[in-house]
């Protein structure tokens, strides 16, 4: 039987409003903009999201969470035998089940490799896991990390929660009408669709597996270019997971507690928190760690029921009174999507697109619809991503009905791809935007030295040719180039005599292909040699984008040394 959270009170909406204001305050001065890096290439000056760049429902859809605070007595660090880490003396509440702890640490290690700038501490995953599911309900997981019983949040039917109609056909949550948060990290199916990861290497992305869920949570917290070593970004990331100020405070409390030390306990022996955000009585800190409890078999959950309809105005309800028609949500009123002035989407490989996609949600009468979730998905054979490395982003429309997608970061694959905008929770035809990644180009080439390039017949040039490529005055890195010893300024065919390069086998070559400028826009050619032909020769370097440079080479016999006159004979006496 599945373990299911209870229904949250409507007072949670107030906390969400407060948290939204907090996000706005944290992000007010952090709007993304396109700038340039140290080499002058296009990039994102500040990848921090503005309030409209946060997912409306977060990872969990605003589902209830455990609000128990850590014990007042901080854990006392002691060496952990065999782990090389820090542990604590204590019991189930302070400890973390072994498999669950291993999942958090492996996820954080993986993120340190793939997104080192995020600085994700494993203790943050542990804090979220504690608040979301009580560490997978005290560590009730199999050896591979899959929960013994499914952990489900309430159905998100808009009745005290977000309204999220079914997006997974019940595959993850068993509900084909509405979505529900799933697993130890409580992902809703619509978020898991793009955030899901395979953390245990079994080839599957299962939200019920703590290794998969922990890795997915790490990537979710590390999107948008956030650096979690900065408190402001830490707060943004946590609030994006569940947009509640109470949630933020509770997670930060457990984060600080686990940072002071924790210890590993056997799977299934962890204590389960007792206070959820849908409880009427607020929790208080535990005076001390409580003994471990053995989780009992969860009882069959009852299906949450909606509050009964209020009686008609003017008197009590009577049999046969029709149920009032529910007020349509903003999502219900969307008829179609319109482009909101998106410019041509083109960028060179490796650059950040200078323009962003803007989509407007409208009713059938063309009226803008705010507070609607628009999902932007990158489609096609491309390695381009949104800023933060994801291929999917969900943005909420503002008061004018417009959702602006995060900036696109071009990968190295050139060609066309599509970004598709769709309405989350409504079957409306998507809107496709064509984007193009072009090869890196240069518009100017220049030698890095003005030393004359000379050589004697049959000799080797003392200096190698080095050039610097730029584009619009900025470094042009990774630009393809070709170098050819040409016949003349008017005849670009390959010369058959004069200076030459050598290939790997030492054979003569006079055209070099597949060259590329380095990170600083520099290209240094191999050594040049001369045959027995004297004269002036030309080396032409061409790059993608049309930039060209012709370098003069001189082969001449060495000047004979000037002989001084012999001394005159002295006159005889």
């Amino acid at each position: 039987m599945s373990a299911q959270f209870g229904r949250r009170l409507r007072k949670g909406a107030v906390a969400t409003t407060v948290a939204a204001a907090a996000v706005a305050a944290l992000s007010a001065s952090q709007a993304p903009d396109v700038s340039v890096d140290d080499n002058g290439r296009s990039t994102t000056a500040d990848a921090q999201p503005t309030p409209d760049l946060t997912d409306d429902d977060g990872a969990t859809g605003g589902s209830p969470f455990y609000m128990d605070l850590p014990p007042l007595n901080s854990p006392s660090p002691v060496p952990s035998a065999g782990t090389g880490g820090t542990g604590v003396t204590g019991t189930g509440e302070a400890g973390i089940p072994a498999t669950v702890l291993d999942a958090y640490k492996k996820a954080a290690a993986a993120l340190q490799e793939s997104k080192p700038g995020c600085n994700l501490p494993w203790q943050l995953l542990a804090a979220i896991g504690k608040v979301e599911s009580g560490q997978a309900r005290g560590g009730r997981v199999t050896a591979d990390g899959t929960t013994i019983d499914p952990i489900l949040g309430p159905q998100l039917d808009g009745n005290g929660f977000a309204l999220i109609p079914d997006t997974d056909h019940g595959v993850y949550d068993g509900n084909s009408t509405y979505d529900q948060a799933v697993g130890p990290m409580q992902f809703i199916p619509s978020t898991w669709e793009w955030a899901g990861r395979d953390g245990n290497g079994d080839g599957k992305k299962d939200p019920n597996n703590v290794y998969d869920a922990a890795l997915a949570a790490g990537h979710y917290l590390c999107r948008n270019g956030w650096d979690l070593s900065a408190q402001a970004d830490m707060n943004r990331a946590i609030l994006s997971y569940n947009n509640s100020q109470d949630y933020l405070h509770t997670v930060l409390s457990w984060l600080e507690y686990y940072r002071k030390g924790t210890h590993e306990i056997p799977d299934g022996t962890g204590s389960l928190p007792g206070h959820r955000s849908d409880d009427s009585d607020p929790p208080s800190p535990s005076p001390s760690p409580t003994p471990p409890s053995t989780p009992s078999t969860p009882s069959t959950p009852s299906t949450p029921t909606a509050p009964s309809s209020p009686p008609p105005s003017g008197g009590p309800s009577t049999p046969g009174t029709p149920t009032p028609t529910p007020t349509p949500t903003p999502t219900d009123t969307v008829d179609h999507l319109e482009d909101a002035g998106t410019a041509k989407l083109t960028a060179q490989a490796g650059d950040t697109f200078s323009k962003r996609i803007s989509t407007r949600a409208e009713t059938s009468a063309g009226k803008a619809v705010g507070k609607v979730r628009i999902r932007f998905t990158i489609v096609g054979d491309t390695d381009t991503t949104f800023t933060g490395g994801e291929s999917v982003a969900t943005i909420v429309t503002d008061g004018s009905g417009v959702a602006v997608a995060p900036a696109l970061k071009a990968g190295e694959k050139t060609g066309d791809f599509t970004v598709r905008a769709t309405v989350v929770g409504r079957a409306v035809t998507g809107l496709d935007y064509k984007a193009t990644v072009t090869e890196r180009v240069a518009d100017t080439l220049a030698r890095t030295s003005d030393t004359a390039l000379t050589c004697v017949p049959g000799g080797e040039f003392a200096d190698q040719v080095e050039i610097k490529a730029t584009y619009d005055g900025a470094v042009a890195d990774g630009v393809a180039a070709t170098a050819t010893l040409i016949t003349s300024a008017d005849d670009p065919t390959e010369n058959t005599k004069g200076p030459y390069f050598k290939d790997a086998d030492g054979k003569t070559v006079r055209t070099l292909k597949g060259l590329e400028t380095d990170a600083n826009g520099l290209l240094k050619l191999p050594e040049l040699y001369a045959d027995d032909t004297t004269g002036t020769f030309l080396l032409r370097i061409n790059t993608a984008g049309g930039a060209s440079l012709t370098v003069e080479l001189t082969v001449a016999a060495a000047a004979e040394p000037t002989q001084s006159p012999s001394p005159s004979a002295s006159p005889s006496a």
Side-chain angles (χ1 to χ4, degrees):
M1 296 296 179
S2 64
Q4 185 165 358
F5 287 122
R7 186 169 291 278
R8 180 159 61 168
L9 300 178
R10 293 183 183 274
K11 66 180 182 181
V14 176
T16 300
T17 302
V18 172
V23 173
L26 287 170
S27 307
S29 63
Q30 303 294 333
D33 198 2
V34 175
S35 182
V36 294
D37 59 18
D38 292 339
N39 288 331
R41 293 191 69 82
S42 173
T43 183
T44 300
D46 192 340
Q48 313 312 329
T50 52
D52 64 330
L53 289 183
T54 58
D55 294 346
D56 187 32
D57 298 313
T60 72
S63 297
F65 54 90
Y66 288 113
M67 295 185 67
D68 293 47
L69 297 175
L72 293 174
N73 296 336
S74 298
S76 302
V78 297
S80 283
T83 65
T86 299
V88 297
T89 57
T91 50
E93 187 169 6
I96 299 176
T99 299
V100 179
L101 178 60
D102 184 56
Y104 297 149
K105 290 185 175 181
K106 285 183 176 177
L111 265 298
Q112 185 59 36
E113 288 283 335
S114 62
K115 296 185 179 180
C118 176
N119 295 302
L120 171 73
W122 67 261
Q123 292 91 341
L124 177 58
L125 296 176
I128 289 177
K130 180 73 173 183
V131 171
E132 290 295 347
S133 67
Q135 310 297 20
R137 297 188 64 79
R140 289 180 56 80
V141 295
T142 60
D144 71 347
T146 303
T147 58
I148 294 174
D149 299 295
I151 302 175
L152 297 174
Q155 64 177 14
L156 300 172
D157 55 7
N159 208 347
F161 308 99
L163 175 60
I164 306 181
D166 174 61
T167 62
D168 68 328
H169 305 290
V171 171
Y172 295 118
D173 54 15
N175 189 335
S176 59
T177 305
Y178 298 100
D179 272 353
Q180 295 176 244
V182 181
M185 303 304 274
Q186 287 291 281
F187 277 99
I188 53 176
S190 57
T191 301
W192 185 260
E193 177 186 351
W194 60 267
R197 296 293 191 278
D198 176 16
N200 62 353
D202 63 357
K204 298 183 295 183
K205 300 175 183 178
D206 182 5
N208 296 295
N209 182 279
V210 70
Y211 287 99
D212 295 357
L215 184 59
H219 278 277
Y220 187 91
L221 295 165
C222 285
R223 71 199 195 288
N224 294 328
W226 285 326
D227 177 1
L228 303 187
S229 65
Q231 190 61 50
D233 279 2
M234 173 77 78
N235 292 350
R236 289 186 184 97
I238 295 171
L239 283 170
S240 78
Y241 207 91
N242 192 321
N243 201 3
S244 159
Q245 198 72 14
D246 289 336
Y247 185 84
L248 173 65
H249 291 157
T250 308
V251 169
L252 288 177
S253 296
W254 280 104
L255 170 62
E256 181 62 22
Y257 184 79
Y258 287 138
R259 275 177 163 165
K260 292 178 181 177
T262 186
H263 65 288
E264 178 184 295
I265 60 175
D267 290 344
T269 64
S271 61
L272 191 65
H275 298 278
R276 289 195 304 266
S277 56
D278 56 347
D279 291 338
S280 57
D281 297 325
S284 57
S286 305
S288 60
T290 56
S293 60
T294 301
S296 58
T297 302
S299 58
T300 303
S302 58
T303 302
T305 57
S308 56
S309 302
S313 176
S317 61
T318 57
T321 301
T323 302
T325 302
T327 302
T329 66
T331 302
D332 294 332
T333 68
V334 177
D335 176 75
H336 60 275
L337 296 176
E338 289 285 346
D339 176 46
T342 302
K344 184 177 181 180
L345 298 168
T346 302
Q348 289 186 38
D351 278 0
T352 296
F353 284 68
S354 60
K355 306 298 181 182
R356 286 161 58 177
I357 296 171
S358 296
T359 301
R360 183 171 56 252
E362 296 183 354
T363 64
S364 58
K367 183 180 179 181
V369 185
K371 298 183 179 179
V372 174
R373 291 173 297 129
I374 305 297
R375 178 174 296 140
F376 297 95
T377 305
I378 297 174
V379 181
D381 183 18
T382 180
D383 55 354
T384 295
T385 64
F386 291 113
T387 302
E390 304 294 348
S391 61
V392 178
T394 302
I395 309 299
V396 183
T397 58
D398 59 17
S400 61
V402 174
V404 181
L408 287 164
K409 180 72 167 62
E412 295 303 321
K413 286 186 179 180
T414 60
D416 298 334
F417 64 94
T418 299
V419 178
R420 181 165 299 149
T422 55
V423 179
V424 177
R426 187 163 175 79
V428 173
T429 302
L431 189 60
D432 286 352
Y433 295 86
K434 180 181 177 181
T436 303
V437 177
T438 62
E439 63 180 339
R440 299 171 187 257
V441 299
D443 57 14
T444 304
L445 301 178
R447 281 190 63 199
T448 59
S449 169
D450 58 3
T451 304
L453 297 167
T454 61
C455 183
V456 296
E460 178 181 348
F461 284 79
D463 297 300
Q464 291 176 249
V465 177
E466 183 180 64
I467 59 103
K468 182 171 185 177
T470 56
Y471 181 77
D472 282 346
V475 163
D477 58 307
V479 176
T482 301
T484 305
L485 290 150
I486 60 176
T487 302
S488 69
D490 299 323
D491 184 359
T493 59
E494 182 182 292
N495 206 338
T496 58
K497 58 184 177 180
Y500 61 91
F501 300 104
K502 290 181 180 180
D503 64 12
D505 297 325
K507 295 180 179 179
T508 297
V509 292
R510 290 190 169 89
T511 297
L512 297 177
K513 298 181 179 179
L515 305 174
E516 186 175 286
T517 59
D518 66 14
N520 297 312
L522 299 175
L523 173 61
K524 193 169 189 176
L525 300 182
E527 292 84 354
L528 274 164
Y529 303 87
D531 61 15
D532 294 333
T533 308
T534 60
T536 300
F537 301 89
L538 299 179
L539 168 66
R540 182 163 293 170
I541 303 164
N542 296 310
T543 63
S548 179
L549 177 68
T550 302
V551 179
E552 189 173 280
L553 308 172
T554 301
V555 180
E560 295 184 4
T562 303
Q563 295 182 351
S564 58
S566 58
S568 300
S570 300
S572 58

